[in-house]
Amino acid sequence: AQKVTQAQTEISVVEKEDVTLDCVYETRDTTYYLFWYKQPPSGELVFLIRRNSFDEQNEISGRYSWNFQKSTSSFNFTITASQVVDSAVYFCALSPPQTGANNLFFGTGTRLTVIP
Amino acid sequence: DGGITQSPKYLFRKEGQNVTLSCEQNLNHDAMYWYRQDPGQGLRLIYYSQIVNDFQKGDIAEGYSVSREKKESFPLTVTSAQKNPTAFYLCASSIIGRGYTFGSGTRLTVV
């Protein structure tokens, strides 16, 4: 069974602070994909990153960075020097390997509020 | 620009009515999906389709129906059998094995 846990329901930070959003997953598959999506107030989910389970390299994209640790089944997301525009709900998701069912299993999301 | 269009953005349904939510994509993606979002529960899969004229139930398909007559279109009907339909509905598409592209959603309210 697949499960994604985002224990942080809501986080508030002051602008320019760094913030880390936690994601822990469960799966019996040896191959899988992990994702992060951003949902701004408009409602649309915006793709941020996809990571293959074989690739444990950390990734940095501008102010965003991701720490994937297979040993602890975690895929945490850090925003450096947060900005008001980062305020949104962030979802972590897990996708099983391509076996015919290519579904995303979502966590419950973390609502980030960046205070100016 | 390629993308997914969901309409309407807001929809109100009287109890006992069926309503249909539209989802159209011009990304040439094979797979399409419908998710339901409730506060504090993340997104849950309703139905998905990997090819035309074929679709599969997701985790919460009861009270919903879909069709996939064209690659570009995957409408969702919320039937009167769905007892608690008030939610935010998101449509997505993907190339199988790749990340998803989501529409901007339809907010359905029962009045």
Side-chain angles (χ1 to χ4, degrees):
Chain A
Q2 328 285 340
K3 184 178 179 182
V4 177
T5 301
Q6 294 180 256
Q8 304 151 307
T9 305
E10 295 190 30
I11 300 176
S12 293
V13 298
V14 176
E15 197 170 21
K16 296 184 184 178
E17 286 184 346
D18 299 347
V19 58
T20 295
L21 309 182
D22 298 333
C23 174
V24 175
Y25 62 91
E26 296 175 29
T27 180
R28 292 179 182 171
D29 296 312
T30 54
T31 303
Y32 47 88
Y33 295 100
L34 294 165
F35 300 80
W36 275 95
Y37 283 87
K38 174 182 179 180
Q39 186 178 40
S42 60
E44 181 175 351
L45 264 71
V46 178
F47 168 80
L48 295 177
I49 189 172
R50 181 182 86 145
R51 176 52 51 86
N52 185 311
S53 57
F54 286 114
D55 183 2
E56 290 195 63
Q57 279 190 328
N58 291 335
E59 182 157 339
I60 299 174
S61 176
R63 297 184 297 107
Y64 295 169
S65 62
W66 290 269
N67 183 0
F68 176 32
Q69 292 194 342
K70 208 168 181 179
S71 60
T72 57
S73 297
S74 65
F75 188 41
N76 296 337
F77 173 31
T78 297
I79 302 174
T80 303
S82 60
Q83 300 176 2
V84 173
V85 292
D86 296 326
S87 297
V89 180
Y90 290 85
F91 290 96
C92 181
L94 169 71
S95 176
Q98 186 177 334
T99 57
N102 185 46
N103 305 324
L104 280 177
F105 295 87
F106 284 87
T108 51
T110 298
R111 181 178 297 279
L112 173 65
T113 301
V114 180
I115 303 165
Chain B
D1 286 341
I4 296 183
T5 301
Q6 286 188 244
S7 61
K9 191 173 179 66
Y10 298 96
L11 186 58
F12 297 89
R13 190 195 93 167
K14 293 182 180 179
E15 291 200 23
Q17 271 186 342
N18 292 354
V19 290
T20 297
L21 283 60
S22 171
C23 178
E24 304 278 334
Q25 55 102 356
N26 60 4
L27 299 165
N28 200 32
H29 286 174
D30 292 312
M32 297 187 74
Y33 312 81
W34 275 105
Y35 285 88
R36 170 178 171 144
Q37 185 177 16
D38 295 282
Q41 293 192 43
L43 281 74
R44 293 180 291 168
L45 182 66
I46 305 172
Y47 268 99
Y48 66 98
S49 167
Q50 295 188 308
I51 57 172
V52 174
N53 292 323
D54 186 56
F55 47 83
Q56 306 296 328
K57 292 182 178 180
D59 301 319
I60 55 166
E62 185 176 351
Y64 299 97
S65 66
V66 294
S67 63
R68 187 89 186 275
E69 297 176 1
K70 298 186 300 182
K71 188 176 185 178
E72 302 79 22
S73 178
F74 192 41
L76 173 74
T77 297
V78 184
T79 74
S80 57
Q82 171 49 239
K83 299 306 179 188
N84 185 23
T86 295
F88 188 57
Y89 291 86
L90 281 160
C91 179
S93 71
S94 76
I95 296 173
I96 294 176
R98 300 286 189 86
Y100 290 25
T101 301
F102 283 84
S104 55
T106 293
R107 190 166 299 280
L108 173 63
T109 304
V110 174
V111 297

